[in-house]
Amino acid sequence: MQATTAPEKIPFLRDPTKRSILYQLVTMAGVALLGYYLINNTLINLERQSISTGFEFIEKEAAFEIGESLIDYSAADSYGKALLVGFLNTLIVSFIGIILTVVLGTILGIARLSTNWLLSKLAAAYIEVFQDIPVLLQLFFWYAFFYEILPGPRQALDLLPGVFLCNRGMIFGVPHYHPAFGYAAAAFVLSCIAVWFLRRWAIKRQDATGRTFPLFRASLLILIGLPAIVWWFGGAPTEMNVPVLSGFNFKGGITISPEFTALLLGLVLYTAAFVAEVVRAGIQSVGKGQREAATSLGLRPGRVMHLIILPQALRVIVPPLTSQMLNLTKNSSLAVAIGYPDFVSVAGTTINQTGQAIEGVALIMIVYLIFSLSTSAFMNWYNKKIKLVER
Amino acid sequence: MKSTTAASHRDEIKPPVTEIGVIGWIRANLFNGWFNSLLTLAVLYLLWLIVPGTVKWAFIDSVWLTGSEECRATDGACWSVISANIRFILFGFYPHDLQWRPLLAMGLLVALLFYSRERSRWNKTLAWAWLAGLFAMGLLLKGGLFGLTAVESANWGGLPLTLLLSVFGLTAAYPVGVVLALGRQTNMPVIKSFCVVYIELIRGVPLISLLFMSSVVFPLFLPEGVTVNKILRAQVAIILFTAAYIAEVVRGGLQGIDRGQYEAAESLGLNYFQTMRLIILPQALKIVIPPSVSILISAFKDTSLVVIIALYDLLKTTQTTLSDPKWMGYSAEAYIFVALIYFICCFAMSNYSRKLEKELDTGR
Amino acid sequence: MQAETISDTHPIIEIEEMHKWFGDFHVLKNINLTVHRGERIVICGPSGSGKSTLIRCINRLEEHQRGRIVVDGIELTKDLKNIEKVRTEVGMVFQHFNLFPHLTVLENLTLGPIWVRKTPKREAEETARYFLEKVRISEQALKYPGQLSGGQQQRVAIARSLCMKPNVMLFDEPTSALDPEMVKEVLDVMISLAQEGMTMIVVSHEMGFAKSVAHRVMFMDDGEIIEENEPEAFFTNPQNDRTKLFLSQIL
């Protein structure tokens, strides 16, 4: 382009700025047209099929029962409350699932790296097999396992003393209610605070005098000891509410439904295989030289792990680990296939009863989007924090 | 000072016996230290608990090619549930005498995949062969041309449906994903934000919500009188879903391209589309082949979700078989069989992607 | 500077008839080596000759299977207590620096003193700053290793070892991963360390360095110490054919 030409003389389509504006306007118009077309069709269809729109149905009576619920719920409650029950069910299964997955996945990942050939190969086989079978199929398998393979309550498998497995689910004993347990719980919270202060004190003392403090063992002692002492002085209640067979079912104890257990089992066993790979890759990402340099300074193996390997491995592990947790939460929506009343399942029933499909699907999407967005907000924060430290 | 020459007894001294051979291997890999020895014993005990019982159940006490009565009589596995229903499990409601057609289509697919495994064979002809192959597979399934009897899509089912949804899903999703990735990389704010919103929205929700949408909301979008069959709707949902994931993978590939490549292309006078088509995409797509195979694997596994909207894929035909009173109660056997099919396919694909990754690593 | 004889002081490292295998592969064959306090030894040889493995055996990064290694009166056996003690006495500098990327330069230096020597933080930091000054890099104390050049990283790594106040320093090809223009800054630091009388065993092909500071130069090939001599005689009049060949290739 000659520098002497005035800018307005450039033909419209040759000016990159204008061209880009044109492209964007065309795109916008296209999307708007498509949107108008779809919405128009939808409105016509809704009117023709006389389906109402809007979210008024939330306050109407749901008129269906829900198999399990964390809060009081009956068929007379509103759709809103039913959806809340489903939401809480999704939360609880995801929460417990995530904890178990991280524990199992970490164990498997470390086993995969073990110098023990047998253990390492076994972990590798587990990871390969469980990754390559669809999670839905695994859910069906565990569900069938409960209903077909496990015996009825009368021949229930006695896994551990007081823990039974049968086609009614998993049943185990819990302690009878006693105020001492409340005090012990309070003592546990207190000891957490105490450990926090102890840690600060230990760091301060080490900075000042150089003396190290066995923080891990001391914390463990406080966390277990203090509640135990309180429980002891509270009267040391040991009475258990043990499940007993009466007639065709168990009485007492806590029963966890086959649906919940199958869902949890399927999700945990499937996701743990992926988490194991994440953990393995994270630990392997720390070079051999790091361990050598640290040991040649005279650090003990435990300290090498704690001061050198873990801090570096965690940076690699945390982002993919979070997305695996999110995957588990999203996969918990498969609960609908085995009859566990999670959010998607309750929303599905709502759609069937009210016919308001658009609102129902929108609700499902919004709930999962909230999970996803909060996860990515956490990841952005974490990545930024790491960048600040390392650059 | 003296200068020493080496002692002459080289090659005479062997390492201690405990360090080499079978004993050395066992010591180093199974019993180095008390903790590892304990682990080995624990694992061996665990295997001893599980393996003999499983082998007895699956092979020794099992029945293979019988009716359901013999199954009731044995303690072992009833593999007859599969052998007696194999055609329904694999092909669903596809007309009995026409089942050679989906079988042939699957054979064609396997042959194409097998031929394409070497990277040296990847060229334009192969791409056309794939297009022709996919068309032929569709034709074999649907019929209605060249004297083949037409088969209603409502009757499609089993393994062909599973493969159809995943293979066509990925093929159609790839171009969409590439466009989305390019859109996300542009500096035009409107286009960029459309792409970002789409990608993040889809990746944020579970596939099942899209399948719900395809089965209950999608019909509302269409003008009166127009209907689209269930399989196609599910296929669209899978394509829309997979495209978002492909877009992210392709974006990773685009970011892996050196800035200098863009500058070199621009300095040759290539415009945006030429730069992308001739310089950037060929390189980026090569980088993203291994992660694309991973997407194919998850798409393949994810198609099993169509069970939930009542399409007769491999999993649904299996469940239907199991709801037959004659064969009720043999879920474990049937699910293990289906799991084996999925496992073989996914394992082959993931091994292949690992192999490719190694090749590409050295090839760059 | 010319090497003076030191034979009256007692040995700090004694290796007797030591063998090592990797599986079936005989990497170290009948190694005998005595190092006196204040002595400086340079080991050279073709790659794969076992020279790195030899010095890695001295602080037990590798385990030997036959013979004895005694460091400062402590024999290296399976006893973890002894191994720990030897490691605190012996400093090691690696070819690839192996600085801890998640810690600042200062934290890299104070880590060992704080957790192994149980030094108060303030004191450890003072020592660290002293040695950073010494390797002429004190202005980088609060940066992370990733922000430094290779030569700077290697100097930090040397300072990190010095902070443990070791009696012996082992250098495993300290300059071979560096760009040519950075080799000198690292060698300068090593020379000044030598001038202070540090006992050093250096695996290196830097012949100029060997000539100026080493008391003895050794040539290893195929897992054996083929030849050792004073630097002057070693370079001008090698005895063994393999040594001659090697020297002709690198000089």
Side-chain angles (χ1 to χ4, degrees), chain A residues 33-240:
Chain A
L33 257 170
L34 184 71
Y36 170 77
Y37 175 71
L38 295 180
I39 290 172
N40 193 35
N41 280 341
T42 309
L43 288 179
I44 293 170
N45 283 326
L46 287 176
E47 200 169 337
R48 193 166 46 85
Q49 300 173 16
S50 59
I51 301 172
S52 52
T53 51
F55 285 92
E56 286 88 38
F57 70 90
I58 288 215
E59 288 171 8
K60 286 190 191 133
E61 187 186 312
F64 62 90
E65 290 289 347
I66 295 180
E68 41 197 302
S69 168
L70 293 174
I71 51 175
D72 275 335
Y73 171 82
S74 75
D77 283 317
S78 65
Y79 279 115
K81 192 153 183 200
L83 289 168
L84 178 66
V85 169
F87 180 72
L88 291 176
N89 280 341
T90 292
L91 272 190
I92 186 89
V93 81
S94 307
F95 181 72
I96 298 177
I98 282 172
I99 293 173
L100 294 179
T101 301
V102 171
V103 173
L104 181 63
T106 310
I107 293 173
L108 282 168
I110 292 171
R112 179 74 187 84
L113 289 174
S114 162
T115 52
N116 188 317
W117 181 86
L118 197 59
L119 191 65
S120 160
K121 290 293 166 222
L122 211 62
Y126 175 94
I127 292 169
E128 194 65 58
V129 168
F130 279 80
Q131 277 191 346
D132 284 350
I133 299 173
V135 61
L136 186 64
L137 178 53
Q138 296 191 34
L139 290 184
F140 283 150
F141 181 85
W142 294 117
Y143 188 64
F145 174 76
F146 269 96
Y147 277 107
E148 281 178 16
I149 296 169
L150 286 181
R154 282 162 165 272
Q155 292 89 35
L157 301 177
D158 201 348
L159 282 187
L160 300 164
V163 181
F164 298 96
L165 211 56
C166 67
N167 60 13
R168 302 287 171 92
M170 193 162 72
I171 301 131
F172 51 84
V174 284
H176 264 304
Y177 175 74
H178 190 283
F181 290 115
Y183 303 146
F188 182 75
V189 174
L190 264 181
S191 50
C192 287
I193 299 169
V195 164
W196 188 76
F197 277 108
L198 183 72
R199 184 168 168 269
R200 276 185 47 161
W201 170 81
I203 292 172
K204 243 189 198 151
R205 190 187 73 153
Q206 187 180 4
D207 285 354
T209 67
R211 277 152 73 203
T212 47
F213 183 79
L215 191 65
F216 182 72
R217 270 171 273 175
S219 310
L220 214 60
L221 193 73
I222 293 175
L223 287 177
I224 297 173
L226 198 62
I229 291 169
V230 169
W231 169 80
W232 178 261
F233 280 105
T238 53
E239 206 187 333
M240 294 283 282

Side-chain angles (χ1 to χ4, degrees), chain B residues 19-36:
Chain B
E19 305 259 343
I20 50 160
V22 181
I23 304 174
W25 186 88
I26 290 178
R27 250 181 70 103
N29 292 299
L30 297 177
F31 295 101
N32 53 339
W34 63 269
F35 182 68
N36 258 341

Side-chain angles (χ1 to χ4, degrees), chain B residues 125-240:
Chain B
T125 329
L126 187 64
W128 287 112
W130 264 101
L131 264 184
L134 288 178
F135 177 75
M137 286 172 223
L139 185 67
L140 277 170
L141 265 182
K142 192 163 175 41
L145 270 181
F146 306 121
L148 295 170
T149 327
V151 176
E152 279 289 312
S153 70
N155 291 334
W156 300 0
L159 190 56
L161 180 62
T162 298
L163 291 172
L164 175 92
L165 288 174
S166 42
V167 171
F168 278 82
L170 193 78
T171 318
Y174 222 99
V176 183
V178 170
V179 169
L180 282 169
L182 290 177
R184 195 171 180 165
Q185 292 287 87
T186 62
N187 40 21
M188 296 185 239
V190 175
I191 293 178
K192 189 175 175 168
S193 45
F194 274 134
C195 293
V196 171
V197 167
Y198 177 82
I199 293 171
E200 294 306 322
L201 187 82
I202 297 289
R203 279 160 39 91
V205 300
L207 173 58
I208 191 171
S209 60
L210 287 186
L211 288 174
F212 267 164
M213 188 139 132
S214 80
S215 78
V216 294
V217 180
F218 194 64
L220 294 176
F221 285 161
L222 297 174
E224 202 183 335
V226 179
T227 52
V228 175
N229 76 56
K230 234 170 158 182
I231 292 181
L232 190 60
R233 289 190 330 236
Q235 180 78 79
V236 168
I238 289 175
I239 291 170
L240 293 179

Side-chain angles (χ1 to χ4, degrees), chain B residues 1-11 13-16 19-21 27, chain C residues 19 21 23-24 26 29-30 65-66 216 222 224 226-230 239-240:
Chain B
M1 269 187 203
K2 62 180 171 40
S3 42
T4 50
T5 30
S8 58
H9 57 258
R10 34 201 312 224
D11 298 329
I13 301 183
K14 287 268 166 227
E19 305 259 343
I20 50 160
R27 250 181 70 103
Chain C
H19 290 262
W21 289 265
D24 275 339
H26 205 168
K29 300 169 183 165
N30 197 35
Q65 282 111 6
R66 266 178 188 235
R216 278 189 285 162
D222 205 15
E224 293 169 294
I226 304 280
E227 182 164 353
E228 63 164 279
N229 215 329
E230 287 173 4
Q239 303 293 310
N240 191 291

